[in-house]
Amino acid sequence: MSSFVRIVVFLLFVFPSTALAHAPNQSYIYLRIYEGQNIEGRFEITALDINKIYGSNLDKKASFEDMQPYIKKLQAYLLEHAKFSSTNGVHDITFLETTKADVGLGSFLKVKFVLENTVELPDNLNVSYSVIFDRDNTHAGFLMMEYNWRAGVINNEANISLRFSKNQTTDVLSLTDVSVWKGFVAMVKQGIWHIWIGLDHILFLFALILPAVVRRWSTATKGEKGTRTAPKANAGFITWDWFPVARFKPALLYIVKVITFFTLAHTITLSLASLQIINLPSRMVEAIIALSIGLAAYHNIRPIFKGKDWVIAFVFGLFHGFGFASVLADLGLTSEYLTLSLLGFNVGVEIGQLVIILMIFPVLFFLRKRKLYPKLLVYCSLLLILISIYWFVERAFDIDIRWDENLRMWLGKLLRWIGVLPPIPDYLE
C-alpha cells in the first residue's frame, strides 16, 4: 500500500463521513449540549422554504431586512411543527436571537433557541419535526448534534443524528453514549486536523525541517565522523555551505527536539489565552505567524541563532499558540473539561506535527547527498520568505490580495480531477 493511500485511509478512519449541509429542499436543527445548563439549539430555514410556508416571493439571496418581517411568524410556525420531550416532561422552546447567513444556495435564517428543563440531561430526547412537510412532501429535515463534549462531538455541522420526512416525523435522540474519554479523543482529532489544515503552521514546520538533514560548515566543524574543514568561503549573501548528516536517527531526533520546543511554546500561550489570562489582537497574532515563516526560512540562509534552531521554534511557537487559541474559541468550547480539552488538543497537534515530519523528513534525507540539496534548501527558503511577506502584508494591513484563495481553488480542482475529492454538485457551481 502506497504512503498516499495509507494517509487517505487514516484520514477516513479518524474523521467520519459527513453529509452536505444546506442542500436544496432541506431544513435543519442543530443542538449544543453543555454540562449544567439547558440545551441550546437553532433551526435553519432557507428563504425559499419561507416562500413555501407563507407563499411569499423572497429572492433566494434575500437580505435580512427582507426576511425580518417573517421571523415572528416563523417562530410561531416552528412551535407548532417542532416539539421536544423526555421522561422529564415536555421541553418548551424559548427563542433567542435570529440571524442570517449565506451559502451558495442562498440566504437562510438561524433561529436560535433554548430547550427548557434540560439542565439535568435525560437519557433520550424525543423529537417531533414536521416543518414544511405540509407544504412539500419531498422536503427533508435533519437534526445534528453540533456540540456535546462527552459524546466526542465538537463543532459538528454535517454528521446527521436524526432524519425526518413526510413519513417519519418523530424519532429519538440518545444522549447516553458519552464518556470523558470520547471528549478527550475528539479534542486530539481536532488538534491533528487543525495542524493539517493550517498552511501557515505547516510552512513554518517545513522551514524548520529543511536544514535538519544537513549541517553548516564552519572553519572547523566537528562532524559525526571527525573534524571537517570548511571549503573556501563563498562571497555574497547566499552561500551553499552545507554538508549532509551521516545518520538518519540522530538527525530525526534533532528535528523532533526542535519541534517539541515549538509544541511546548504554543502549549503555554494556548493555555494562557484559553484561561483568559493573556489575550492578543488576532490581527497582530496572524501577522506575526506569517512573519515567523520568513524568519525561520531566513535563518536557513543566514543563521540568526547559530546551532540553536530550537530558539526560533520556541519564540515563534508562543505566537502560534495564540493562533490555536482562536481555533478553540471558534469550536465553541467553554470552561467544561477545559484542562482535558487543552491537553487533548495539544497532543493532537504534536501527533499531527510528527506525521508531517515523518512524511517530509525521509524524502529530504534521501536527497541530502545530492549536490543540488544546498541550492534546494536556499531556493525553498527564498520561496517561503516571499510567501511570508505576502501573508504578512495581507494580515498586517488587512488587504485581501486573494492569491491564496485562487491557489486553493485550483488545487481543489486538481484534487477533484484525480479523484481525491468528490465533485461539486451542480447546484453549488
Side-chain angles (χ1 to χ4, degrees), residues 260-271:
T260 299
F261 274 100
F262 174 68
T263 300
L264 177 63
H266 70 61
T267 298
I268 293 171
T269 47
L270 172 58
S271 301

Side-chain angles (χ1 to χ4, degrees), residues 210-426:
L210 270 173
V213 295
V214 290
R215 295 290 180 266
R216 192 180 295 275
W217 291 100
S218 61
T219 304
T221 302
K222 189 174 182 180
E224 297 172 46
K225 293 186 178 180
T227 301
R228 302 172 183 265
T229 304
K232 183 177 180 180
N234 293 289
F237 175 75
I238 296 177
T239 61
W240 322 110
D241 50 347
W242 300 91
F243 65 89
V245 298
R247 294 183 294 161
F248 183 91
K249 184 177 178 180
L252 177 61
L253 291 178
Y254 175 77
I255 190 59
V256 169
K257 182 186 77 172
V258 171
I259 298 303
T260 299
F261 274 100
F262 174 68
T263 300
L264 177 63
H266 70 61
T267 298
I268 293 171
T269 47
L270 172 58
S271 301
L272 291 174
S274 297
L275 294 171
Q276 300 295 312
I277 296 174
I278 299 177
N279 283 299
L280 297 180
S282 60
R283 184 168 156 186
M284 181 186 78
V285 168
E286 293 301 319
I288 293 176
I289 289 174
L291 189 63
S292 70
I293 300 168
L295 289 177
Y298 177 84
H299 174 74
N300 295 339
I301 302 172
R302 303 290 283 186
I304 303 172
F305 302 101
K306 291 187 178 180
K308 296 181 179 180
D309 298 339
W310 64 268
V311 175
I312 290 179
F314 184 84
V315 170
F316 286 110
L318 295 172
F319 292 96
H320 283 253
F322 286 113
F324 286 133
S326 65
V327 168
L328 290 188
D330 291 340
L331 293 178
L333 296 175
T334 63
S335 58
E336 63 170 355
Y337 304 105
L338 184 58
T339 301
L340 283 174
S341 293
L342 292 173
L343 177 60
F345 189 84
N346 280 304
V347 168
V349 168
E350 182 71 1
I351 293 172
Q353 291 172 168
L354 291 175
V355 171
I356 292 170
I357 292 172
L358 293 175
M359 289 172 61
I360 297 175
F361 185 85
V363 177
L364 300 184
F365 187 82
F366 175 76
L367 295 173
R368 77 197 189 287
K369 290 186 178 180
R370 304 295 191 274
K371 290 183 178 180
L372 63 82
Y373 191 82
K375 293 185 179 181
L376 177 68
L377 187 155
V378 171
Y379 291 145
C380 284
S381 296
L382 288 173
L383 177 61
L384 290 175
I385 291 171
L386 291 176
I387 294 173
S388 170
I389 293 171
Y390 161 75
W391 275 342
F392 177 78
V393 171
E394 261 202 339
R395 298 174 183 184
F397 301 101
D398 197 22
I399 301 173
D400 187 9
I401 303 176
R402 300 181 66 85
W403 176 84
D404 53 338
E405 291 182 16
N406 292 330
L407 177 62
R408 287 192 180 96
M409 180 185 70
W410 286 107
L411 180 59
K413 288 184 177 180
L414 175 63
L415 293 176
R416 278 186 286 274
W417 181 72
I418 63 178
V420 175
L421 292 178
I424 298 176
D426 293 339

Side-chain angles (χ1 to χ4, degrees), residues 16 34 55 105 125 131 133 145 156 162 180 182-183 257 261 268 307 320 375 377 387 389:
Y34 297 99
L105 292 170
L125 189 64
V131 171
F133 297 149
M145 193 187 302
N156 160 55
L162 301 180
V180 172
K182 281 181 175 288
K257 182 186 77 172
F261 274 100
I268 293 171
H320 283 253
K375 293 185 179 181
L377 187 155
I387 294 173
I389 293 171

Side-chain angles (χ1 to χ4, degrees), residues 37-40 84-86 88-96 113-120 122 125:
Q37 66 182 66
N38 284 321
I39 294 175
E40 299 176 4
F84 300 85
S85 65
S86 70
N88 297 340
V90 174
H91 301 292
D92 293 329
I93 298 172
T94 299
F95 288 109
L96 304 175
F113 64 88
V114 169
L115 286 184
E116 301 296 344
N117 191 30
T118 54
V119 172
E120 182 180 342
L125 189 64

